Amino acid sequence: MRGSCCGWNRRTEQRFRLLAISTVKSVKIKLLLCCCVALTLLAFSTSASSFVLWNNQTPLPPLLSDSRRGYSIVMNTWKRYDLLKQSIKHYSSCPRLESVHIVWSEPNPPSDILLKFLHHVVKSKPKDGRQVKLRFDINKEDSLNNRFKEIKDLETDAVFSIDDDVIFPCSSVEFAFDVWQSAPDTMVGFVPRVHWLDSLKDNDDKFSYGGWWSVWWTGTYSMVLSKAAFFHKKYFNIYTNEMPSSIREYITKNRNCEDIAMSFLVANATGAPPIWVKGKIFEIGSTGISSLGGHSERRTECVNRFAAVYGRMPLVSTSVKAVDSRNIWFW
């Protein structure tokens, strides 16, 4: 009888002990959960107060002046009216475009039909109550230097130099503009080219010009062509009034290499390489002078001639490429 009572007491004692242990554990877990909830509420309240304070702050003044909030397109054209219409119609939709300046070097002025169509296009695409301004810059002389003449009524610092036969999506142009704003003294463009030291003869450096496949093979570039590039409007004045006149004369005579001349000019002024922006290009015109035989040889001659005029090679090579990672999987 006594043994059974003792056994019952032990079992009861064990049950109470287990119950006490489980109760203590439960209390500890609850305390731990309460601490976690309290910490979470504290963090949330701190974040919320910070968020409210941030939203109630006085807006900061704009970092960019009016002349740097948008860009102007300077488009070179020559007797390709359908391409001109198509290009203006496309680029007029770009969000931060302020004005379009068409470089006109034909012997006859633009027709009334063409003027009416282009003005109708830009007026049909207003942006926040404003319209893109359209200007024709008429030149008496037919010269490739005309595309870099100073434009007196240019209201933006940023110039997007473009040919009438190439189309880039507005998203790519806007991204390139953002890149240019981070380095407004350099050239930012979509079409890279490269030069390299070819040989040493008679103590003179000889250079070669390389097209796209040379850029692809070497992974470097030292120029971006002005057929699709951003640069500061101040370079128009430098090109026309300060660049050695022998370079402009050579370009007028040979009808080539004005884009290389601009690359030399900007590199000489900055001592820095250009910036290549990756973008999809759509060629809407027929092949140009780059498809003619001997093109690379003529471009190589330009590079060496311009380097001789400057007394050195100002072009700087780089392998940096700007990529808009929002629109691609791999970059």
PDB file of all heavy atoms in Angstrom, residues 172-198:
ATOM      1  N   SER A 172      16.524  55.178 -75.751  1.00  0.00           N
ATOM      2  CA  SER A 172      17.988  55.157 -75.871  1.00  0.00           C
ATOM      3  C   SER A 172      18.552  56.570 -75.911  1.00  0.00           C
ATOM      4  O   SER A 172      19.587  56.853 -75.301  1.00  0.00           O
ATOM      5  CB  SER A 172      18.405  54.383 -77.126  1.00  0.00           C
ATOM      6  OG  SER A 172      18.012  53.028 -77.058  1.00  0.00           O
ATOM      7  N   VAL A 173      17.879  57.456 -76.627  1.00  0.00           N
ATOM      8  CA  VAL A 173      18.340  58.846 -76.710  1.00  0.00           C
ATOM      9  C   VAL A 173      18.270  59.501 -75.337  1.00  0.00           C
ATOM     10  O   VAL A 173      19.198  60.214 -74.914  1.00  0.00           O
ATOM     11  CB  VAL A 173      17.499  59.633 -77.732  1.00  0.00           C
ATOM     12  CG1 VAL A 173      17.931  61.097 -77.768  1.00  0.00           C
ATOM     13  CG2 VAL A 173      17.630  59.015 -79.121  1.00  0.00           C
ATOM     14  N   GLU A 174      17.179  59.273 -74.617  1.00  0.00           N
ATOM     15  CA  GLU A 174      17.022  59.860 -73.290  1.00  0.00           C
ATOM     16  C   GLU A 174      18.085  59.330 -72.330  1.00  0.00           C
ATOM     17  O   GLU A 174      18.623  60.073 -71.498  1.00  0.00           O
ATOM     18  CB  GLU A 174      15.626  59.564 -72.749  1.00  0.00           C
ATOM     19  CG  GLU A 174      14.497  60.185 -73.554  1.00  0.00           C
ATOM     20  CD  GLU A 174      14.395  61.689 -73.343  1.00  0.00           C
ATOM     21  OE1 GLU A 174      14.417  62.140 -72.176  1.00  0.00           O
ATOM     22  OE2 GLU A 174      14.295  62.426 -74.342  1.00  0.00           O
ATOM     23  N   PHE A 175      18.409  58.048 -72.429  1.00  0.00           N
ATOM     24  CA  PHE A 175      19.454  57.476 -71.576  1.00  0.00           C
ATOM     25  C   PHE A 175      20.807  58.086 -71.904  1.00  0.00           C
ATOM     26  O   PHE A 175      21.590  58.426 -71.008  1.00  0.00           O
ATOM     27  CB  PHE A 175      19.490  55.960 -71.741  1.00  0.00           C
ATOM     28  CG  PHE A 175      20.638  55.307 -71.002  1.00  0.00           C
ATOM     29  CD1 PHE A 175      20.670  55.293 -69.623  1.00  0.00           C
ATOM     30  CD2 PHE A 175      21.685  54.712 -71.698  1.00  0.00           C
ATOM     31  CE1 PHE A 175      21.721  54.700 -68.938  1.00  0.00           C
ATOM     32  CE2 PHE A 175      22.739  54.121 -71.027  1.00  0.00           C
ATOM     33  CZ  PHE A 175      22.753  54.112 -69.640  1.00  0.00           C
ATOM     34  N   ALA A 176      21.095  58.237 -73.196  1.00  0.00           N
ATOM     35  CA  ALA A 176      22.357  58.867 -73.601  1.00  0.00           C
ATOM     36  C   ALA A 176      22.442  60.297 -73.083  1.00  0.00           C
ATOM     37  O   ALA A 176      23.518  60.771 -72.693  1.00  0.00           O
ATOM     38  CB  ALA A 176      22.494  58.833 -75.122  1.00  0.00           C
ATOM     39  N   PHE A 177      21.310  60.998 -73.072  1.00  0.00           N
ATOM     40  CA  PHE A 177      21.277  62.356 -72.531  1.00  0.00           C
ATOM     41  C   PHE A 177      21.610  62.348 -71.042  1.00  0.00           C
ATOM     42  O   PHE A 177      22.347  63.218 -70.548  1.00  0.00           O
ATOM     43  CB  PHE A 177      19.908  62.980 -72.785  1.00  0.00           C
ATOM     44  CG  PHE A 177      19.757  64.364 -72.223  1.00  0.00           C
ATOM     45  CD1 PHE A 177      20.681  65.358 -72.492  1.00  0.00           C
ATOM     46  CD2 PHE A 177      18.663  64.678 -71.419  1.00  0.00           C
ATOM     47  CE1 PHE A 177      20.533  66.643 -71.976  1.00  0.00           C
ATOM     48  CE2 PHE A 177      18.506  65.956 -70.909  1.00  0.00           C
ATOM     49  CZ  PHE A 177      19.438  66.933 -71.179  1.00  0.00           C
ATOM     50  N   ASP A 178      21.089  61.376 -70.312  1.00  0.00           N
ATOM     51  CA  ASP A 178      21.423  61.248 -68.886  1.00  0.00           C
ATOM     52  C   ASP A 178      22.929  61.018 -68.708  1.00  0.00           C
ATOM     53  O   ASP A 178      23.545  61.587 -67.798  1.00  0.00           O
ATOM     54  CB  ASP A 178      20.645  60.091 -68.257  1.00  0.00           C
ATOM     55  CG  ASP A 178      19.164  60.391 -68.125  1.00  0.00           C
ATOM     56  OD1 ASP A 178      18.798  61.576 -68.040  1.00  0.00           O
ATOM     57  OD2 ASP A 178      18.364  59.421 -68.119  1.00  0.00           O
ATOM     58  N   VAL A 179      23.492  60.170 -69.545  1.00  0.00           N
ATOM     59  CA  VAL A 179      24.931  59.910 -69.464  1.00  0.00           C
ATOM     60  C   VAL A 179      25.707  61.191 -69.760  1.00  0.00           C
ATOM     61  O   VAL A 179      26.679  61.525 -69.061  1.00  0.00           O
ATOM     62  CB  VAL A 179      25.338  58.791 -70.448  1.00  0.00           C
ATOM     63  CG1 VAL A 179      26.847  58.611 -70.463  1.00  0.00           C
ATOM     64  CG2 VAL A 179      24.658  57.477 -70.070  1.00  0.00           C
ATOM     65  N   TRP A 180      25.287  61.930 -70.776  1.00  0.00           N
ATOM     66  CA  TRP A 180      25.973  63.182 -71.118  1.00  0.00           C
ATOM     67  C   TRP A 180      25.914  64.174 -69.956  1.00  0.00           C
ATOM     68  O   TRP A 180      26.889  64.875 -69.686  1.00  0.00           O
ATOM     69  CB  TRP A 180      25.336  63.809 -72.359  1.00  0.00           C
ATOM     70  CG  TRP A 180      25.955  65.137 -72.686  1.00  0.00           C
ATOM     71  CD1 TRP A 180      27.079  65.374 -73.422  1.00  0.00           C
ATOM     72  CD2 TRP A 180      25.484  66.423 -72.245  1.00  0.00           C
ATOM     73  NE1 TRP A 180      27.345  66.723 -73.475  1.00  0.00           N
ATOM     74  CE2 TRP A 180      26.384  67.389 -72.759  1.00  0.00           C
ATOM     75  CE3 TRP A 180      24.408  66.850 -71.473  1.00  0.00           C
ATOM     76  CZ2 TRP A 180      26.232  68.750 -72.517  1.00  0.00           C
ATOM     77  CZ3 TRP A 180      24.248  68.205 -71.229  1.00  0.00           C
ATOM     78  CH2 TRP A 180      25.156  69.143 -71.754  1.00  0.00           C
ATOM     79  N   GLN A 181      24.806  64.234 -69.259  1.00  0.00           N
ATOM     80  CA  GLN A 181      24.692  65.165 -68.138  1.00  0.00           C
ATOM     81  C   GLN A 181      25.697  64.866 -67.045  1.00  0.00           C
ATOM     82  O   GLN A 181      26.081  65.762 -66.282  1.00  0.00           O
ATOM     83  CB  GLN A 181      23.268  65.135 -67.571  1.00  0.00           C
ATOM     84  CG  GLN A 181      22.246  65.812 -68.477  1.00  0.00           C
ATOM     85  CD  GLN A 181      20.851  65.793 -67.881  1.00  0.00           C
ATOM     86  OE1 GLN A 181      20.382  64.758 -67.423  1.00  0.00           O
ATOM     87  NE2 GLN A 181      20.185  66.930 -67.883  1.00  0.00           N
ATOM     88  N   SER A 182      26.132  63.621 -66.945  1.00  0.00           N
ATOM     89  CA  SER A 182      27.145  63.271 -65.950  1.00  0.00           C
ATOM     90  C   SER A 182      28.552  63.658 -66.402  1.00  0.00           C
ATOM     91  O   SER A 182      29.470  63.712 -65.585  1.00  0.00           O
ATOM     92  CB  SER A 182      27.100  61.763 -65.656  1.00  0.00           C
ATOM     93  OG  SER A 182      27.547  61.014 -66.779  1.00  0.00           O
ATOM     94  N   ALA A 183      28.732  63.927 -67.692  1.00  0.00           N
ATOM     95  CA  ALA A 183      30.040  64.319 -68.231  1.00  0.00           C
ATOM     96  C   ALA A 183      29.809  65.270 -69.407  1.00  0.00           C
ATOM     97  O   ALA A 183      30.050  64.916 -70.563  1.00  0.00           O
ATOM     98  CB  ALA A 183      30.835  63.093 -68.667  1.00  0.00           C
ATOM     99  N   PRO A 184      29.337  66.493 -69.154  1.00  0.00           N
ATOM    100  CA  PRO A 184      28.878  67.384 -70.231  1.00  0.00           C
ATOM    101  C   PRO A 184      29.971  67.935 -71.135  1.00  0.00           C
ATOM    102  O   PRO A 184      29.648  68.547 -72.157  1.00  0.00           O
ATOM    103  CB  PRO A 184      28.179  68.520 -69.473  1.00  0.00           C
ATOM    104  CG  PRO A 184      28.801  68.511 -68.119  1.00  0.00           C
ATOM    105  CD  PRO A 184      29.108  67.080 -67.815  1.00  0.00           C
ATOM    106  N   ASP A 185      31.225  67.740 -70.787  1.00  0.00           N
ATOM    107  CA  ASP A 185      32.297  68.242 -71.652  1.00  0.00           C
ATOM    108  C   ASP A 185      32.767  67.221 -72.675  1.00  0.00           C
ATOM    109  O   ASP A 185      33.531  67.563 -73.584  1.00  0.00           O
ATOM    110  CB  ASP A 185      33.501  68.694 -70.803  1.00  0.00           C
ATOM    111  CG  ASP A 185      33.225  69.991 -70.065  1.00  0.00           C
ATOM    112  OD1 ASP A 185      32.444  70.811 -70.587  1.00  0.00           O
ATOM    113  OD2 ASP A 185      33.774  70.181 -68.960  1.00  0.00           O
ATOM    114  N   THR A 186      32.342  65.984 -72.527  1.00  0.00           N
ATOM    115  CA  THR A 186      32.808  64.952 -73.440  1.00  0.00           C
ATOM    116  C   THR A 186      31.751  64.622 -74.477  1.00  0.00           C
ATOM    117  O   THR A 186      30.629  65.110 -74.423  1.00  0.00           O
ATOM    118  CB  THR A 186      33.197  63.681 -72.661  1.00  0.00           C
ATOM    119  OG1 THR A 186      33.934  62.807 -73.506  1.00  0.00           O
ATOM    120  CG2 THR A 186      31.960  62.961 -72.146  1.00  0.00           C
ATOM    121  N   MET A 187      32.117  63.791 -75.442  1.00  0.00           N
ATOM    122  CA  MET A 187      31.161  63.301 -76.431  1.00  0.00           C
ATOM    123  C   MET A 187      30.569  61.990 -75.960  1.00  0.00           C
ATOM    124  O   MET A 187      31.288  61.113 -75.452  1.00  0.00           O
ATOM    125  CB  MET A 187      31.835  63.096 -77.795  1.00  0.00           C
ATOM    126  CG  MET A 187      32.179  64.377 -78.521  1.00  0.00           C
ATOM    127  SD  MET A 187      32.815  64.083 -80.202  1.00  0.00           S
ATOM    128  CE  MET A 187      31.295  63.615 -81.067  1.00  0.00           C
ATOM    129  N   VAL A 188      29.274  61.854 -76.117  1.00  0.00           N
ATOM    130  CA  VAL A 188      28.550  60.645 -75.720  1.00  0.00           C
ATOM    131  C   VAL A 188      27.763  60.183 -76.931  1.00  0.00           C
ATOM    132  O   VAL A 188      26.894  60.914 -77.420  1.00  0.00           O
ATOM    133  CB  VAL A 188      27.613  60.923 -74.533  1.00  0.00           C
ATOM    134  CG1 VAL A 188      26.786  59.679 -74.209  1.00  0.00           C
ATOM    135  CG2 VAL A 188      28.398  61.383 -73.318  1.00  0.00           C
ATOM    136  N   GLY A 189      28.076  58.995 -77.446  1.00  0.00           N
ATOM    137  CA  GLY A 189      27.429  58.583 -78.681  1.00  0.00           C
ATOM    138  C   GLY A 189      27.245  57.093 -78.823  1.00  0.00           C
ATOM    139  O   GLY A 189      27.677  56.302 -77.977  1.00  0.00           O
ATOM    140  N   PHE A 190      26.606  56.724 -79.931  1.00  0.00           N
ATOM    141  CA  PHE A 190      26.200  55.343 -80.170  1.00  0.00           C
ATOM    142  C   PHE A 190      27.097  54.594 -81.162  1.00  0.00           C
ATOM    143  O   PHE A 190      26.970  53.379 -81.276  1.00  0.00           O
ATOM    144  CB  PHE A 190      24.770  55.319 -80.717  1.00  0.00           C
ATOM    145  CG  PHE A 190      23.728  55.797 -79.750  1.00  0.00           C
ATOM    146  CD1 PHE A 190      23.246  57.099 -79.807  1.00  0.00           C
ATOM    147  CD2 PHE A 190      23.207  54.959 -78.780  1.00  0.00           C
ATOM    148  CE1 PHE A 190      22.283  57.549 -78.932  1.00  0.00           C
ATOM    149  CE2 PHE A 190      22.235  55.389 -77.897  1.00  0.00           C
ATOM    150  CZ  PHE A 190      21.768  56.699 -77.962  1.00  0.00           C
ATOM    151  N   VAL A 191      27.937  55.312 -81.892  1.00  0.00           N
ATOM    152  CA  VAL A 191      28.707  54.674 -82.974  1.00  0.00           C
ATOM    153  C   VAL A 191      30.201  54.833 -82.689  1.00  0.00           C
ATOM    154  O   VAL A 191      30.792  55.875 -83.014  1.00  0.00           O
ATOM    155  CB  VAL A 191      28.354  55.287 -84.344  1.00  0.00           C
ATOM    156  CG1 VAL A 191      29.035  54.501 -85.462  1.00  0.00           C
ATOM    157  CG2 VAL A 191      26.844  55.315 -84.554  1.00  0.00           C
ATOM    158  N   PRO A 192      30.833  53.818 -82.078  1.00  0.00           N
ATOM    159  CA  PRO A 192      32.243  53.946 -81.706  1.00  0.00           C
ATOM    160  C   PRO A 192      33.184  53.601 -82.865  1.00  0.00           C
ATOM    161  O   PRO A 192      32.864  52.793 -83.732  1.00  0.00           O
ATOM    162  CB  PRO A 192      32.382  52.917 -80.590  1.00  0.00           C
ATOM    163  CG  PRO A 192      31.406  51.835 -80.969  1.00  0.00           C
ATOM    164  CD  PRO A 192      30.243  52.553 -81.631  1.00  0.00           C
ATOM    165  N   ARG A 193      34.334  54.225 -82.841  1.00  0.00           N
ATOM    166  CA  ARG A 193      35.422  53.920 -83.776  1.00  0.00           C
ATOM    167  C   ARG A 193      36.731  53.971 -83.010  1.00  0.00           C
ATOM    168  O   ARG A 193      36.808  54.495 -81.902  1.00  0.00           O
ATOM    169  CB  ARG A 193      35.434  54.913 -84.943  1.00  0.00           C
ATOM    170  CG  ARG A 193      34.206  54.823 -85.852  1.00  0.00           C
ATOM    171  CD  ARG A 193      34.137  53.505 -86.582  1.00  0.00           C
ATOM    172  NE  ARG A 193      33.012  53.429 -87.518  1.00  0.00           N
ATOM    173  CZ  ARG A 193      31.844  52.857 -87.243  1.00  0.00           C
ATOM    174  NH1 ARG A 193      31.637  52.340 -86.030  1.00  0.00           N
ATOM    175  NH2 ARG A 193      30.895  52.811 -88.147  1.00  0.00           N
ATOM    176  N   VAL A 194      37.785  53.438 -83.613  1.00  0.00           N
ATOM    177  CA  VAL A 194      39.055  53.303 -82.895  1.00  0.00           C
ATOM    178  C   VAL A 194      40.223  53.698 -83.786  1.00  0.00           C
ATOM    179  O   VAL A 194      40.125  53.649 -85.020  1.00  0.00           O
ATOM    180  CB  VAL A 194      39.226  51.847 -82.390  1.00  0.00           C
ATOM    181  CG1 VAL A 194      39.413  50.876 -83.553  1.00  0.00           C
ATOM    182  CG2 VAL A 194      40.380  51.730 -81.408  1.00  0.00           C
ATOM    183  N   HIS A 195      41.294  54.118 -83.171  1.00  0.00           N
ATOM    184  CA  HIS A 195      42.555  54.333 -83.871  1.00  0.00           C
ATOM    185  C   HIS A 195      43.634  53.563 -83.108  1.00  0.00           C
ATOM    186  O   HIS A 195      43.463  53.241 -81.928  1.00  0.00           O
ATOM    187  CB  HIS A 195      42.917  55.832 -83.914  1.00  0.00           C
ATOM    188  CG  HIS A 195      43.595  56.308 -82.661  1.00  0.00           C
ATOM    189  ND1 HIS A 195      42.899  56.533 -81.480  1.00  0.00           N
ATOM    190  CD2 HIS A 195      44.898  56.577 -82.381  1.00  0.00           C
ATOM    191  CE1 HIS A 195      43.724  56.935 -80.545  1.00  0.00           C
ATOM    192  NE2 HIS A 195      44.955  56.974 -81.058  1.00  0.00           N
ATOM    193  N   TRP A 196      44.731  53.276 -83.779  1.00  0.00           N
ATOM    194  CA  TRP A 196      45.854  52.642 -83.088  1.00  0.00           C
ATOM    195  C   TRP A 196      47.154  53.019 -83.779  1.00  0.00           C
ATOM    196  O   TRP A 196      47.160  53.414 -84.951  1.00  0.00           O
ATOM    197  CB  TRP A 196      45.691  51.117 -83.031  1.00  0.00           C
ATOM    198  CG  TRP A 196      45.701  50.437 -84.367  1.00  0.00           C
ATOM    199  CD1 TRP A 196      46.782  50.013 -85.083  1.00  0.00           C
ATOM    200  CD2 TRP A 196      44.554  50.096 -85.164  1.00  0.00           C
ATOM    201  NE1 TRP A 196      46.397  49.425 -86.261  1.00  0.00           N
ATOM    202  CE2 TRP A 196      45.040  49.465 -86.341  1.00  0.00           C
ATOM    203  CE3 TRP A 196      43.173  50.265 -84.988  1.00  0.00           C
ATOM    204  CZ2 TRP A 196      44.179  49.012 -87.332  1.00  0.00           C
ATOM    205  CZ3 TRP A 196      42.344  49.807 -85.984  1.00  0.00           C
ATOM    206  CH2 TRP A 196      42.832  49.186 -87.131  1.00  0.00           C
ATOM    207  N   LEU A 197      48.218  52.899 -83.006  1.00  0.00           N
ATOM    208  CA  LEU A 197      49.545  53.191 -83.536  1.00  0.00           C
ATOM    209  C   LEU A 197      49.958  52.065 -84.461  1.00  0.00           C
ATOM    210  O   LEU A 197      50.028  50.905 -84.055  1.00  0.00           O
ATOM    211  CB  LEU A 197      50.547  53.343 -82.384  1.00  0.00           C
ATOM    212  CG  LEU A 197      51.956  53.804 -82.745  1.00  0.00           C
ATOM    213  CD1 LEU A 197      51.925  55.193 -83.354  1.00  0.00           C
ATOM    214  CD2 LEU A 197      52.844  53.791 -81.498  1.00  0.00           C
ATOM    215  N   ASP A 198      50.229  52.399 -85.703  1.00  0.00           N
ATOM    216  CA  ASP A 198      50.487  51.382 -86.721  1.00  0.00           C
ATOM    217  C   ASP A 198      51.967  51.073 -86.873  1.00  0.00           C
ATOM    218  O   ASP A 198      52.376  49.933 -86.951  1.00  0.00           O
ATOM    219  CB  ASP A 198      49.909  51.846 -88.068  1.00  0.00           C
ATOM    220  CG  ASP A 198      49.879  50.729 -89.090  1.00  0.00           C
ATOM    221  OD1 ASP A 198      49.800  49.556 -88.684  1.00  0.00           O
ATOM    222  OD2 ASP A 198      49.944  51.031 -90.287  1.00  0.00           O
TER     223      ASP A 198
END
